[in-house]
Amino acid sequence: MQLLDNALKIEAEHGTDAAFPQGFAAFVRSHGLPRATAYRHRERVKLEGRWQPRSRAPRNRPNATPERVRARVIALREELGPDNGADMIRAALLVEAAEQDWASQGLVVPARSTINAILDRAGLLTKTPRKRPRSSYRRFVYARPRDCYQIDGTTITGLPVGRVCVIEVLDDCTRTLVATRACWAETTKDAIAAVNAAIASYGAPAIVLSDNGTAFSTTARRGGTQRSRFAQNLDRHGVRLIHSSPYHPQTCGKVERHHQTFNKWLAASGHQPQTLTHMQALCDQYQDWYNTQRWHSAIRATPAATWANAPALGGPTSLPAQTDAHIYAARVDKTGRVWMHGTSITIGRAHTGQTMTVVIDGQHANVHDHDGHHLGHLTLDRDRRNQGQLIA
């Protein structure tokens, strides 16, 4: 039809002979155009006096987002500061809708995709095409609060106080920030203080997950085999320590990602701490805001509400109960193997008598020793009784 429209445009500007030397009917037949459509297009040009493309947009949009809602979406993009993504905007709109009774006014809170479309049309959407889509991730979450705490430190520079470290302890299930501690460096002493503060405020977890930093994994005696002071402290609370795989920060991904949220909040707040005491006060202020006010997109609520509504809490007296993964505490027998429900994994005779933590996620198994160090992994073959040697 583009050819016909171009020819009609020439006819409107230069006459019929210039556009259709053999006549309009012959032009339609030679190009195999629908006769009714061709004459309808020509009649429109005669009535309007010129060719003008018409909008293909529908004349009315009964399901279009009202202007009032669109305006609030754009306004919240600015008002929410660093947390101004579609999920956070929708959470704020849900609160406003309840307070202002949008339902009685025929207004509804738009979906996340609609909010992104509104921001895109307004030129406010930052596109990241290289970012992996959410559907490509496999999320691992412990089933109950206190099943697992993740601990890690982040270094912050550029403040009047100088270079500081903030050690954060995060509950894996509810994303509750159970402790935050400002210190000069990520030391064992401060790591112990942070995890003890979490235990005092929220209770002891079944597992503490950390990376292989010196604050968490250094042995008590250089070159010796004695457990680290951090691990010994957890032993007194009956808590098992697990370290993530070396050079694999995704294992502690929740607390690693949380550092970014804290850094954004600190930058947007405009606070310039002059002392470590002031920095700790800001950490305490952030912890309260994050737990009780900030809506978390992964859990669709605030961390405090998720914790309060949990039907049960975990702890040292029972290993985490998982539906998507299984965790076993198994002792290495004299043949160097551990057994789980008739299936064995070869660890090595050097570990005979030691208790291992085995995490089985689908067909994949990871084994950690009593100190929490990752010993290796393997892919399970359900048709075999003995799964063979671990892959370091």
Side-chain angles (χ1 to χ4, degrees):
M1 299 305 295
Q2 187 65 44
L3 177 63
L4 172 63
D5 292 340
N6 289 337
L8 292 175
K9 183 177 180 180
I10 294 174
E11 181 184 31
E13 295 178 356
H14 304 288
T16 301
D17 292 340
F20 309 108
Q22 305 299 323
F24 183 70
F27 177 87
V28 172
R29 286 195 302 272
S30 63
H31 290 89
L33 300 176
R35 187 172 184 276
T37 301
Y39 277 92
R40 186 174 67 252
H41 277 230
R42 193 183 193 195
E43 186 66 22
R44 196 183 95 193
V45 172
K46 288 181 179 179
L47 290 175
E48 297 180 0
R50 61 190 178 90
W51 171 255
Q52 182 177 348
R54 290 178 177 176
S55 173
R56 296 185 178 183
R59 295 182 180 179
N60 54 67
R61 300 175 180 175
N63 296 323
T65 304
E67 179 59 33
R68 173 183 169 185
V69 178
R70 289 200 299 269
R72 280 304 296 151
V73 168
I74 294 173
L76 285 171
R77 181 71 164 180
E78 176 67 25
E79 294 174 13
L80 293 178
D83 278 327
N84 58 1
D87 286 322
M88 299 305 171
I89 291 175
R90 190 171 191 277
L93 289 177
L94 287 171
V95 175
E96 290 188 14
E99 294 176 346
Q100 301 172 13
D101 194 14
W102 280 16
S104 65
Q105 305 170 50
L107 301 176
V108 296
V109 176
R112 182 178 185 272
S113 58
T114 302
I115 293 174
N116 274 325
I118 293 171
L119 296 176
D120 191 18
R121 287 193 291 268
L124 299 175
L125 189 64
T126 303
K127 297 183 179 181
T128 52
R130 293 186 178 183
K131 195 173 182 180
R132 285 178 59 185
R134 291 187 174 189
S135 59
S136 69
Y137 289 94
R138 188 189 189 286
R139 188 185 299 276
F140 180 90
V141 182
Y142 282 88
R144 302 172 301 180
R146 286 208 315 243
D147 272 347
C148 177
Y149 289 169
Q150 293 189 13
I151 183 171
D152 190 47
T154 178
T155 301
I156 302 173
T157 59
L159 299 175
V161 68
R163 180 189 179 99
V164 295
C165 174
V166 176
I167 299 177
E168 298 177 323
V169 186
L170 196 75
D171 179 68
D172 187 282
C173 172
T174 65
R175 310 303 199 278
T176 301
L177 184 60
V178 292
T180 175
R181 180 178 177 83
C183 49
W184 296 120
E186 189 182 77
T187 64
T188 301
K189 176 182 176 181
D190 288 299
I192 291 174
V195 77
N196 284 348
I199 292 173
S201 299
Y202 289 88
I207 293 172
V208 166
L209 176 62
S210 76
D211 60 20
N212 292 273
T214 56
F216 313 113
S217 62
T218 301
T219 56
R221 295 178 181 176
R222 184 170 306 207
T225 59
Q226 188 173 349
R227 287 167 60 74
S228 67
R229 289 192 293 123
F230 184 76
Q232 291 177 27
N233 175 71
L234 292 179
D235 288 343
R236 287 190 286 272
H237 296 284
V239 179
R240 292 186 63 82
L241 172 63
I242 290 180
H243 295 296
S244 62
S245 304
Y247 312 109
H248 196 271
Q250 293 91 334
T251 308
C252 297
K254 297 181 183 68
V255 70
E256 293 273 1
R257 173 59 181 85
H258 181 264
H259 296 331
Q260 180 181 334
T261 302
F262 172 69
N263 288 329
K264 284 184 177 180
W265 176 88
L266 185 62
S269 68
H271 292 297
Q272 295 292 314
Q274 302 287 337
T275 64
L276 193 63
T277 301
H278 186 195
M279 186 67 189
Q280 182 62 56
L282 291 176
C283 290
D284 295 339
Q285 178 184 342
Y286 168 80
Q287 181 182 9
D288 179 71
W289 170 81
Y290 175 84
N291 286 339
T292 62
Q293 299 181 42
R294 183 183 183 274
W295 189 86
H296 201 293
S297 59
I299 56 179
R300 306 290 178 179
T302 63
T306 305
W307 184 293
N309 294 328
L313 300 177
T317 57
S318 64
L319 286 173
Q322 290 298 126
T323 56
D324 55 353
H326 299 279
I327 301 177
Y328 302 92
R331 185 178 295 274
V332 182
D333 65 15
K334 61 182 180 181
T335 65
R337 293 184 291 180
V338 293
W339 291 84
M340 298 83 57
H341 298 294
T343 299
S344 70
I345 297 175
T346 302
I347 309 296
R349 293 175 185 259
H351 300 283
T352 298
Q354 298 179 17
T355 300
M356 301 293 163
T357 299
V358 184
V359 181
I360 298 180
D361 181 10
Q363 302 298 320
H364 197 73
N366 279 278
V367 179
H368 302 260
D369 66 12
H370 185 60
D371 291 326
H373 295 106
H374 183 255
L375 296 182
H377 66 93
L378 55 76
T379 300
L380 301 176
D381 182 353
R382 299 296 184 180
D383 294 328
R384 295 179 55 187
R385 181 180 176 87
N386 183 13
Q387 300 297 323
Q389 183 71 39
L390 280 177
I391 301 173

